[in-house]
Amino acid sequence: MKKYNDYTIDDFVLNPSFVEWVKSSGYKNPNDFWTKWVDENPQQYLLVQQASDFILASAIEGENVSDFQVELLVNKTLSTISNIENQREPIQLKFFQNREWLLKLVASVAIIFAMGLGAYLWKKNISEELLLTKINRKLIEKENLTAQKMPVQLPDGSTALLQPNSSISFPATFENTNNREVYLKGQAFFEVVKNANHPFLVHAKDVVVKVLGTSFTVQAFLKSADIKVVVKTGKVMVFPKEGESTENIITLLPNQQVVVNSESHHANQSNVELGEVKAITSNATPSLEFSDTPISNIFQTLEKAYGVTIYFDEKLLADCSLTTSLADEPLFEKLKLICEAIGPNSHFEVVNEKIIIQSRGCNQ
């Protein structure tokens, strides 16, 4: 009999007692066998987490599993695999170096859970080629486990302000792709860099939000049937995940929103008061004017506008002032311009929910 310490994801998924432990939330019971085993074997935690994801996804009735959930499952698993590949010793990488294991695992799941993820893939005619395409797109996942907004810098310089209990996945680069695509679970405010040749797409549950360069908020928590899109600036197009057509596109302009119910597929488009738009997007005005303004005041203005925290050395930058006009650039573009104005050795970093300004001083 195979030892639990030698288990692969396949073994966990095929073990009846482990499956029952996951489906019955047995991890909440500190006296349960598997709870104790995971506590005693932390080196297996990531594998246990991956297996649990597949089991939970497979427990959902096939008709209710959306494409978005399938993509999230694949993307989350790949993110975890990448972490394991970076952390484990080379001899332990054999299982993960062959990416075809994921397809084999899905097949195993389909056999055990006839109405689960495997059956869903079969019903939707999702080919191995398509699944492999999604698998080979290594995505970065950012999850906000804090109580504050988390600023996330996207590969093209666009900004996503991630709300608590939300996550976003995106590729390391948008190069060599027709679209700039990200995957959202929860809520985020986006400021998108303009690029007419490469549309920016947000996949959120059963809808896709398409823009060229604008600012807007998408709210799509898994526990809610409603998906909300609120536009602050520019033009936004919303359409079903199944595809874009002239019949199913909803176009939103500034101070407009749409609420789509993922169960009834009903969409309600309406105008929104400016105060409500600011509450769900940001307080940033279209143009920020500064005339010989202390740098500390500028950072405070940005903190209030975006609801973020900016850390910097107040003594070091006490004598720094700036005259500038900031328009509709994303937050990170604004910070980049400010840092360049402070001096050649100034830049910013994002650590979790914190924005940290690194500088040697004015003109240094």
Side-chain angles (χ1 to χ4, degrees):
M1 182 177 179
K2 196 171 186 178
K3 295 180 179 180
Y4 294 137
N5 284 331
D6 296 327
Y7 262 28
T8 62
I9 297 180
D10 305 65
D11 296 318
F12 283 117
V13 170
L14 293 169
N15 186 299
S17 66
F18 179 82
V19 171
E20 180 59 29
W21 176 72
V22 173
K23 294 172 69 175
S24 65
S25 299
Y27 59 86
K28 296 180 180 179
N29 180 4
N31 296 319
D32 190 284
F33 167 78
W34 282 108
T35 304
K36 292 181 179 178
W37 185 87
V38 172
D39 289 340
E40 294 169 359
N41 297 273
Q43 75 280 1
Q44 291 287 80
Y45 177 76
L46 291 177
L47 294 183
V48 168
Q49 191 175 50
Q50 291 173 39
S52 299
D53 284 341
F54 274 96
I55 291 169
L56 291 174
S58 302
I60 303 173
E61 291 298 316
E63 291 296 332
N64 295 326
V65 181
S66 68
D67 292 335
F68 176 74
Q69 288 171 295
V70 173
E71 291 217 36
L72 273 183
L73 179 63
V74 172
N75 295 338
K76 183 176 181 180
T77 303
L78 282 175
S79 177
T80 308
I81 292 170
S82 296
N83 290 336
I84 292 175
E85 288 178 342
N86 291 330
Q87 295 171 9
R88 289 178 175 250
E89 295 297 324
I91 192 171
Q92 295 174 299
L93 283 174
K94 293 180 180 179
F95 178 72
F96 298 100
Q97 286 172 340
N98 183 1
R99 299 252 171 190
E100 293 180 359
W101 70 268
L102 185 55
L103 293 175
K104 295 177 182 178
L105 179 57
V106 171
S108 301
V109 173
I111 294 172
I112 303 172
F113 307 104
M115 290 300 293
L117 176 61
Y120 173 76
L121 294 175
W122 179 267
K123 284 183 180 181
K124 293 291 186 180
N125 294 317
I126 296 180
S127 66
E128 285 194 5
E129 289 78 15
L130 178 58
L131 190 55
L132 279 172
T133 298
K134 293 179 179 180
I135 290 171
N136 289 329
R137 270 190 324 187
K138 294 183 180 179
L139 300 183
I140 298 168
E141 182 179 31
K142 298 289 186 180
E143 185 175 9
N144 188 359
L145 301 177
T146 73
Q148 290 82 38
K149 295 178 183 178
M150 175 186 287
V152 178
Q153 185 171 20
L154 301 175
D156 63 338
S158 297
T159 301
L161 286 181
L162 204 59
Q163 289 285 347
N165 302 313
S166 302
S167 65
I168 186 170
S169 300
F170 52 91
T173 177
F174 289 139
E175 294 180 1
N176 302 318
T177 59
N178 294 325
N179 300 316
R180 298 170 286 167
E181 299 185 68
V182 303
Y183 301 84
L184 174 69
K185 182 173 65 175
Q187 179 176 325
F189 169 63
F190 293 90
E191 287 184 313
V192 179
V193 172
K194 290 181 175 64
N195 188 334
N197 296 323
H198 298 279
F200 186 94
L201 274 60
V202 180
H203 297 262
K205 294 177 72 174
D206 296 326
V207 305
V208 178
V209 181
K210 180 180 179 180
V211 304
L212 299 179
T214 181
S215 61
F216 59 98
T217 286
V218 179
Q219 185 182 85
F221 289 100
L222 294 181
K223 292 183 179 180
S224 173
D226 288 338
I227 305 161
K228 180 187 287 187
V229 181
V230 182
V231 179
K232 184 174 183 181
T233 63
K235 183 170 72 173
V236 170
M237 290 169 283
V238 182
F239 53 88
K241 193 173 182 66
E242 286 71 24
E244 178 183 1
S245 67
T246 54
E247 292 80 17
N248 63 13
I249 291 180
I250 298 173
T251 301
L252 300 174
L253 298 175
N255 302 331
Q256 290 186 338
Q257 72 172 18
V258 65
V259 179
V260 181
N261 187 282
S262 57
E263 296 176 353
S264 66
H265 303 293
H266 176 72
N268 182 24
Q269 183 176 354
S270 62
N271 294 324
V272 189
E273 294 293 331
L274 180 59
E276 187 177 347
V277 172
K278 288 185 176 182
I280 198 171
T281 57
S282 81
N283 289 318
T285 58
S287 179
L288 296 172
E289 302 288 339
F290 301 103
S291 178
D292 199 25
T293 305
I295 288 294
S296 59
N297 290 1
I298 295 177
F299 287 146
Q300 289 172 7
T301 299
L302 293 178
E303 286 182 324
K304 292 179 181 178
Y306 289 96
V308 298
T309 304
I310 302 175
Y311 292 86
F312 61 98
D313 190 325
E314 294 190 34
K315 291 183 179 180
L316 190 65
L317 300 180
D319 297 327
C320 298
S321 59
L322 183 62
T323 297
T324 187
S325 175
L326 301 175
D328 58 353
E329 305 95 344
L331 171 60
F332 289 127
E333 288 296 305
K334 290 183 173 76
L335 289 172
K336 181 180 178 181
L337 291 172
I338 294 170
C339 287
E340 288 176 350
I342 293 174
N345 292 305
S346 298
H347 64 279
F348 71 90
E349 298 176 356
V350 179
V351 181
N352 295 325
E353 77 282 7
K354 303 177 181 66
I355 297 174
I356 301 173
I357 306 298
Q358 303 284 4
S359 177
R360 295 180 183 176
C362 305
N363 301 317
Q364 298 297 316

